[in-house]
Amino acid sequence: MEQAMNDSGWRGSQEGWLEAAYDALLESGVESVKILPLAKRLNLSRTSFYWFFKDREELLGALIARWRDKNTGNLVKQSEAYADTLAEAMLNVFDCWINKDLFDSQFEFAVRSWALQSPEIQAEVHEADQTRMEAIGRMFMRFGHDEAAADVRARTTYLVQIGYISMQSREDTALRMKRIPEYIAIYTGEIPQKRELDRFFSRHGYKPE
């Protein structure tokens, strides 16, 4: 018990260091993700870092793994989620754009900014983009589109959202929700049914006027 208290006390924890690194990355970019500033942020000694990570590079690798697992992993899962119609399947993907627990847009922006300084991270981003677009493409193919059409529709769907993130576009919730049926119709060629939209709005705590 005393050992457990030490591990979560003066040494901190692996998740605590990773969370501090995440906060620093979002606030000030990758150059701010350094051991001494993180130790000060956590009110811990610099040496306690090494109980959990071999060096700064291992910490940065853990940050990228966290981004990959959350943003790419959840987008792929949402594209594969059960749906009766293509419009409903697209609404499942749109859950990612609304729910930060599924897809963290600020994290995405920070990693893409980091990629401008690092060929290795740029390669990670390129691989993630391909994986995500391929997943959305498979979703379109599941509902009858041929490979070429599915690819173009997937690219359109995904790259527009990445544009939103890269431009740091801001919309209030009511405006964004109002636009979603039109986005779905444009991307899928199907007008979403009222019951599909009602379920989507409900799971995001939104009530149309």
Side-chain angles (χ1 to χ4, degrees):
M1 189 173 196
E2 184 179 350
Q3 180 65 40
M5 288 178 67
N6 283 340
D7 286 347
S8 62
W10 65 272
R11 291 177 188 167
S13 66
Q14 185 175 58
E15 184 58 30
W17 283 97
L18 185 58
E19 190 67 21
Y22 164 84
D23 289 341
L25 178 69
L26 267 58
E27 290 169 12
S28 307
V30 69
E31 288 303 315
S32 68
V33 184
K34 294 181 178 177
I35 299 168
L36 185 57
L38 295 179
K40 289 180 178 178
R41 180 187 287 258
L42 293 167
N43 197 28
L44 294 169
S45 69
R46 186 178 188 277
T47 55
S48 64
F49 171 86
Y50 297 100
W51 284 98
F52 307 105
F53 297 97
K54 181 176 67 176
D55 52 26
R56 177 176 182 261
E57 289 305 310
E58 187 172 44
L59 175 63
L60 294 178
L63 266 179
I64 286 296
R66 182 177 183 175
W67 164 77
R68 186 192 308 119
D69 292 346
K70 182 172 189 176
N71 284 9
T72 301
N74 283 332
L75 194 153
V76 171
K77 287 177 185 176
Q78 289 300 111
S79 74
E80 296 172 346
Y82 176 80
D84 286 327
T85 67
L86 179 54
E88 185 177 27
M90 185 60 77
L91 286 167
N92 289 337
V93 171
F94 267 53
D95 286 338
C96 292
W97 314 147
I98 306 297
N99 185 351
K100 186 180 178 180
D101 290 337
L102 291 176
F103 190 99
D104 188 335
S105 294
Q106 289 181 297
F107 200 3
E108 187 73 18
F109 180 83
V111 170
R112 288 179 179 276
S113 298
W114 178 5
L116 298 175
Q117 308 169 45
S118 166
E120 293 81 6
I121 301 306
Q122 183 62 59
E124 287 276 359
V125 168
H126 178 72
E127 182 178 352
D129 287 338
Q130 288 300 118
T131 298
R132 296 167 188 181
M133 286 189 287
E134 287 170 5
I136 298 170
R138 289 192 300 272
M139 181 189 77
F140 277 106
M141 292 173 68
R142 204 166 81 229
F143 287 92
H145 286 277
D146 63 38
E147 186 173 356
D151 175 65
V152 171
R153 287 179 181 270
R155 291 174 68 83
T156 302
T157 301
Y158 177 71
L159 294 175
V160 167
Q161 183 59 31
I162 294 302
Y164 262 89
I165 292 168
S166 298
M167 293 171 64
Q168 295 189 287
S169 180
R170 296 287 183 266
E171 297 171 318
D172 65 57
T173 300
L175 179 58
R176 189 165 207 192
M177 291 298 190
K178 184 178 180 180
R179 287 173 170 167
I180 280 175
E182 291 298 329
Y183 277 126
I184 300 299
I186 290 168
Y187 294 157
T188 67
E190 296 182 5
I191 297 173
Q193 300 173 34
K194 183 179 183 301
R195 62 182 174 81
E196 294 170 338
L197 288 170
D198 286 345
R199 285 198 295 267
F200 177 81
F201 292 147
S202 177
R203 62 182 178 256
H204 295 292
Y206 174 71
K207 294 182 179 180
E209 294 180 357

